[in-house]
Amino acid sequence: MTHHTGAPAPSNAGAFRVVANSSPMPEAEREAALANLAFGTQFTDHMAHITWTRDGGWDDYRVEPYGPLTLDPAAAVLHYAQEIFEGLKAYRWADGSVWLFRPDDNAGRFNRSARRMALPELPVEDFLASVTSLLAVDHPWVPRVEESSLYLRPFMFASEAFLGVRPANVIEYLLIASPVGPYFAGGVKPVSIWVAQGFHRAGIGGTGAAKCGGNYAASLLPQQQAYDKGCQQVLFLDAREDKFLEELGGMNVFVVRSDGTVETPRLTGTILEGITRASVIQMLEDQNVTVVLRDITADEVVAGVESGEVAEVFACGTAAVVTPVGRLVSPDFDVTIGGGQAGDVTMRIRKALTDIQYGRVEDPYGWMRRVV
Ligand code: PLP
Ligand code: COI
C-alpha cells in the first residue's frame, strides 16, 4: 500500500473491509451532539480495527461498528499494561474539507512507543489508512464549530489470554474518534499548575518518551492532588534531582522570558516528544524568536515570575493546543504569571498554529494532509 500526499486519498480504504453500523446515530441527534462538545465523551459510529498475531502478522483490517470489545479476563493488557496510544485531530476547514495535522509524525511516534513496549510496529501506511478509512465513513462527525475537531485515538494492546510475563502473541490495534471542543472546561483561559510532590513521571531508561497507558496511570494520583489544590494540571520535575521541569501530565511546557526568548526543556528520553512542541519551536524560530532547549529549574521559573523576568508560561499538546498557564503552585510557592492573563506570545503562537490547522492561512510547512 502507498499513501498519498495530495488530495483525498481513500485508496487505502480498500484494504479495510467495512462492516457498517446498522443503527448509526440519527443525523439530528449527531448534529445536536456536535453543537455541544466536551472532551472525549462522545464517539462516532465506527472504529477501525486490525489484529496481529506473532505467526500471521497484521491481518483482518476492518472498519466496524463502534462498541464494546469482548476480552478474555486473562488478556495481558489487563494485568501487565502492554499498551500504547496516540492522539491527533481531524480539522474541518471553512470549505467543508477535512484535514490532518502531521499524521506521519504520530505514526512514527506510535512505532517508537511500540518498540519500547515490545509491541509490533504498525506500518505507517496502515496507520494512515486506518485514519482515512474511518473518516471515509465517519467524516460527518468532524464538527464545524470554531476551535472544535474530531480527536482521533489510535491505540494498541495485548489481547492474548496468558498470565506469564512476556510480550503477548496476540495484539489489537484500534482507532476510535471523538468530536471535541476545548480540553479544559473553561475554554482558552489560563490554567493553574500544581508541581508534583514526591512523584515523578519517568526515570532514565523508563517509559517517559513512550506514549503508553502506564505513564498516565502513574500520573493520576498527583493529578488528583492537583485537583485537590484547585489546579487543572500537574507539572512533573525530573526524577534524578527533583529540580528540572519535565512536562505536565498530558502536555509539554514552555517559558517565555521578558526579553522575548522562549525556553522549553530539552528532550532527555524521559519526556514525550510532542508534535505540537516541535511545531511551536519551528514556528517561533521562523519568526526569529530565540528558542532555547535546556534544563530549566522550577526554582528559577518561580524566581523569574517574581522578578518579572519570566513573562509567560504555556502548555501545549494535541488536546490542549496551546494553553496559557496563569499560576504555579507547590507547598513552597504560589505565584501568578502575567497577572493571571494569557500572554501575547502564547496567544500569538496559538493563533499561528490553529490558523494552519484550520486552513485560515497557507501552510508553509506541508504539515496538513487532506483526507475528505
Ligand atoms: N506530553 C504528554 C505527556 C502528552 O500526553 C502529550 C499529548 O499527546 C504531549 C506531551 C504533547 O504531545 P503532542 O503535541 O504530540 O500531542
Ligand atoms: C493528547 O494531547 O493527544 C493527549 O494524549 C493528552 C491527553 C488527552 C492524554
Side-chain angles (χ1 to χ4, degrees), residues 303-338:
V305 171
E306 283 168 339
S307 72
E309 254 174 274
V310 167
E312 303 175 30
V313 175
F314 65 84
C316 72
T318 298
V321 192
V322 173
T323 296
V325 174
R327 202 175 142 224
L328 276 177
V329 187
S330 86
D332 303 324
F333 51 78
D334 184 342
V335 291
T336 299
I337 303 154

Side-chain angles (χ1 to χ4, degrees), residues 181-206:
Y183 185 73
F184 294 105
V188 191
K189 275 203 255 142
V191 295
S192 300
I193 303 279
W194 170 252
V195 182
Q197 299 298 304
F199 296 114
H200 299 280
R201 186 178 169 279
I204 294 155

Side-chain angles (χ1 to χ4, degrees), residues 39 85-88 151 153 183 211 216 249-251 317-320:
F39 186 90
F85 70 96
E86 264 304 321
L88 68 163
Y151 183 75
R153 171 53 63 87
Y183 185 73
K211 208 162 162 60
Y216 299 80
M251 45 212 81
T318 298

Side-chain angles (χ1 to χ4, degrees), residues 109 201 211 216 247-252 272 274-277 316-318:
R109 187 172 64 188
R201 186 178 169 279
K211 208 162 162 60
Y216 299 80
E247 62 185 317
L248 311 189
M251 45 212 81
N252 294 115
L272 193 79
I275 294 161
T276 318
R277 173 187 181 277
C316 72
T318 298

Side-chain angles (χ1 to χ4, degrees), residues 8-28:
S11 69
N12 284 326
F16 282 75
R17 114 188 115 80
V18 178
V19 184
N21 188 331
S22 57
S23 49
M25 189 180 280
E27 187 179 343

Side-chain angles (χ1 to χ4, degrees), residues 246-259:
E246 293 229 301
E247 62 185 317
L248 311 189
M251 45 212 81
N252 294 115
V253 65
F254 283 74
V255 174
V256 183
R257 304 193 67 87
S258 56
D259 67 3

